[in-house]
Amino acid sequence: MSDGQMNPRPRPAVSVVDLTTDDLADIARLHLLAFPDSELGRQGTEAVRRSYLWQFEGPHDLTAIGARLDGRLVGFLFGGVFRGSTIGFLKREWPFLVGQAVRHPSTVLRRSSWSRITLALRLLVRRTPQPAPEEPTAVGPRSFGVLSIAVDPTVQGGGVGRAIMVEAERAAREQGFDQMHLTVHPSNEQAVRFYLGGGWQWQIDDDGERSGQMIRLLV
């Protein structure tokens, strides 16, 4: 090695781990970093923490995967089969969420927020229980839904997202799923490129348009 030249420092390895409720503080922190403008994030850290707590404690078949770098959570994925991932959270936490709205009215002034709140209230006051739409909507039997995937913006492009997606695919296969599904807006070009590069494909609606849903065949 000549003078002035140095070998590049090896990149620290990403550790893929199972997540538990003990990781909720880190999950909420990372959600706010990855999705600073999300409707949930606008309700504050505690609302985010409670939302993910419901995913752990609700009647779901949950797979929660995390990626740690030097001990710090830098990525996570929540997937599986969800039964009321949103409406169940709203039913359980509506007193807290109403309190948040009263204390911080600016969080519900946006039109998009009001439309979601109106829909949630209609679902909550129905006398005859009806199944609420899931996110992402199931596209077929034995399909593993990716509810949420987040990567710390400071490490994007470093293989964190790929590592947790590979582990999610392994878990889905091990659990006997034929495919995976998720929802992504077609305008989110960075996410779309990531999924297409990982073997995902668009679901096409009856009009021949992209539905906003993608699938990954596992068989």
Side-chain angles (χ1 to χ4, degrees), residues 143-161:
S143 188
F144 179 102
V146 177
L147 179 71
S148 180
I149 179 171
V151 174
D152 189 319
T154 64
V155 299
Q156 282 187 346
V160 173

Side-chain angles (χ1 to χ4, degrees), residues 33-215:
L33 283 175
F35 311 115
D37 297 322
S38 68
E39 297 294 342
L40 178 61
R42 292 192 187 104
Q43 308 309 312
T45 302
E46 180 59 15
V48 176
R49 190 194 71 82
R50 291 183 184 218
S51 175
Y52 283 102
L53 177 62
W54 168 247
Q55 310 316 321
F56 278 110
E57 295 183 345
H60 319 301
D61 298 327
L62 175 67
T63 296
I65 300 166
R68 291 191 176 277
L69 190 62
D70 292 333
R72 179 170 60 101
L73 187 69
V74 292
F76 67 73
L77 181 148
F78 277 61
V81 177
F82 296 91
R83 304 174 183 90
S85 61
T86 295
I87 193 61
F89 164 65
L90 292 172
K91 285 181 176 179
R92 185 165 89 162
E93 298 292 351
W94 71 264
F96 168 78
L97 295 171
V98 169
Q100 285 290 94
V102 170
R103 289 189 294 272
H104 309 286
S106 62
T107 63
V108 296
L109 291 180
R110 302 186 182 212
R111 174 179 288 184
S112 59
S113 297
W114 272 114
S115 64
R116 293 170 188 263
I117 290 170
T118 301
L119 173 61
L121 290 174
R122 287 203 303 267
L123 291 170
L124 286 171
V125 300
R126 281 176 176 167
R127 292 184 179 180
T128 303
Q130 299 181 20
E134 286 295 315
E135 26 350 274
T137 304
V139 296
R142 302 308 301 154
S143 188
F144 179 102
V146 177
L147 179 71
S148 180
I149 179 171
V151 174
D152 189 319
T154 64
V155 299
Q156 282 187 346
V160 173
R162 185 70 62 210
I164 55 179
M165 187 61 79
V166 167
E167 176 60 19
E169 291 178 9
R170 185 203 63 76
R173 285 192 175 93
E174 186 176 85
Q175 295 169 39
F177 289 97
D178 300 320
Q179 66 180 33
M180 302 170 71
H181 66 274
L182 56 80
T183 300
V184 60
H185 198 283
S187 65
N188 189 344
E189 296 180 357
Q190 183 177 6
V192 169
R193 284 196 302 270
F194 171 77
Y195 295 128
L196 290 175
W200 290 72
Q201 56 189 276
W202 287 107
Q203 282 285 97
I204 305 300
D205 61 24
D206 293 338
D207 297 324
E209 301 292 333
R210 295 174 178 175
S211 64
Q213 193 162 87
M214 302 184 78
I215 64 171

